[in-house]
Amino acid sequence: MEMAIVMARDVGMDWIIHLDTDELLYPGGAAEYSVRRSLAEVPRDADMVIFPNYESSVERHNIKDPFSEVRRLAKKRRCLAILCLPIRVAGRSSTLYSELNVLVWSLRVSMFKKNYDHLHKDTYFGMNKEATRGNPNYFLTYGNGKSAARIQDHLCPNGALRWHNYAKSPNEIKLEEAAVLHYTYTKFSDLTFRRDRCGCKPTIEDVKRCFMLDFDRAAFIIASTASEEEMRRWYNERVVWNDKQLNLKLLRKGMLTRIYTPIVRNNAGAQKLIVTSQ
């Protein structure tokens, strides 16, 4: 991450944020659905911006890829889309135009549990037990969001979630609508993935060496000691949101939310890419 800061400064970036491969930025509340617009509206004296995290709440057990696995909309529309992405080519400001025929779809994973920073405290404390569903904590994994840092002198990482500055105490603000979407344990295979990457014994004491979070520890133990049938039953009870009445209740209270982030899929693989300098 130290090298990422250096590289960001070299190419003239204004902000840096560390995201894992199971996370997406959701620029809620920003005009044009733009992360750039969200950060442009941050006060100049703010050194860091917290994006509270929302956690995926999967509604079925057989998802293979939460990012690309999709469901057809009621009406399928074929359209021609022009995607314009700002890039840098040989130090010049350029634009990448991608012209393609696309189909519009909707993501299969659309329900998320909102961060307590975006909830009224009465809602959070009043419905916490129902939303936790017998798991160790409100979120299965982390719950303190991710931060973006303004590129400046003496910036340094402070773990995977925060940044620091050697020369001062950073001024930090929290966004009221934007969030990090965390797609955690969206696939049943995530259980065996965690088991296979760790050599710990499946005991309560030993797993503390490899996993910080209670749910990760429990998932590792069940994946290491149970049959596949028992694992699937555990996964459905602990991860999958099968209770439609509870889901509706928490959606109405605002504890759960649906985010239908649109995606475009390339039709027949045909694309025309044009780079123009400005």
Side-chain angles (χ1 to χ4, degrees), residues 3-4 27 38 43 58 129 185 195-196 220 234 250 262 272 278:
M3 288 303 301
S38 293
V58 297
K129 185 176 181 179
Y185 286 97
R195 177 198 65 195
D196 296 342
F220 176 81
W234 186 91
L250 296 180
K272 181 181 180 183
Q278 296 177 342

Side-chain angles (χ1 to χ4, degrees), residues 17-271:
I17 184 169
H18 171 248
L19 291 179
D20 293 326
T21 55
D22 60 353
E23 295 171 330
L24 295 174
L25 274 181
Y26 168 63
E32 303 167 4
Y33 201 72
S34 167
V35 174
R36 177 177 294 180
R37 181 63 62 88
S38 293
L39 294 174
E41 295 173 354
V42 171
R44 289 297 305 171
D45 63 345
D47 302 304
M48 299 181 194
V49 177
I50 304 299
F51 289 80
N53 61 295
Y54 290 8
E55 190 173 82
S56 59
S57 302
V58 297
E59 297 171 85
R60 60 184 179 88
H61 68 276
N62 57 349
I63 292 172
K64 302 299 182 183
D65 185 343
F67 294 114
S68 65
E69 189 170 335
V70 295
R71 172 178 58 197
R72 289 177 184 269
L73 293 171
K75 292 184 178 180
K76 183 176 69 176
R77 294 183 299 169
R78 192 175 300 274
C79 60
L80 180 66
I82 305 294
L83 305 182
C84 303
L85 305 174
I87 61 172
R88 286 184 176 272
V89 178
R92 296 175 298 172
S93 177
S94 306
T95 302
L96 175 67
Y97 294 94
S98 177
E99 181 181 6
L100 64 159
N101 289 320
V102 299
L103 296 178
V104 181
W105 306 72
S106 67
L107 286 173
R108 178 66 88 177
V109 178
S110 64
M111 193 167 73
F112 293 85
K113 185 186 291 185
K114 295 177 71 173
N115 194 285
Y116 37 79
D117 285 325
H118 286 180
L119 293 171
H120 191 281
K121 65 178 182 179
D122 291 341
T123 301
Y124 174 72
F125 289 109
M127 307 196 71
N128 184 280
K129 185 176 181 179
E130 289 178 275
T132 302
R133 301 189 312 149
N135 286 313
N137 299 296
Y138 175 70
F139 280 143
L140 300 183
T141 52
Y142 78 91
N144 50 349
K146 289 288 185 77
S147 69
R150 198 184 297 275
I151 298 297
Q152 56 185 282
D153 293 338
H154 311 297
L155 179 66
C156 62
N158 183 18
L161 308 180
R162 295 290 187 269
W163 305 88
H164 188 58
N165 192 297
Y166 290 124
K168 64 178 181 179
S169 296
N171 180 25
E172 184 178 273
I173 68 168
K174 190 170 294 182
L175 296 181
E176 297 298 326
E177 296 183 75
V180 168
L181 304 182
H182 186 201
Y183 292 76
T184 186
Y185 286 97
T186 51
K187 309 184 299 295
F188 173 74
S189 60
D190 288 341
L191 291 180
T192 54
F193 171 76
R194 281 166 172 76
R195 177 198 65 195
D196 296 342
R197 74 176 187 178
C198 178
C200 290
K201 296 178 181 178
T203 63
I204 294 176
E205 289 303 317
D206 208 46
V207 295
K208 291 180 180 178
R209 297 190 297 111
C210 295
F211 301 100
M212 295 180 60
L213 301 173
D214 291 335
F215 189 87
D216 286 336
R217 294 169 181 172
F220 176 81
I221 291 174
I222 197 71
S224 302
T225 60
S227 66
E228 181 171 338
E229 181 181 352
E230 292 169 329
M231 286 171 58
R232 290 191 180 278
R233 183 164 58 248
W234 186 91
Y235 183 79
N236 273 283
E237 292 173 354
R238 298 288 183 167
V239 179
V240 181
W241 289 71
N242 292 310
D243 190 335
K244 295 185 182 299
Q245 292 302 314
L246 175 61
N247 296 354
L248 183 59
K249 179 180 180 180
L250 296 180
L251 283 165
R252 286 172 173 168
K253 292 291 185 179
M255 190 165 263
L256 293 177
T257 186
R258 290 200 180 276
I259 299 175
Y260 294 100
T261 305
I263 63 172
V264 294
R265 302 200 62 165
N266 188 357
N267 183 36
Q271 293 193 35

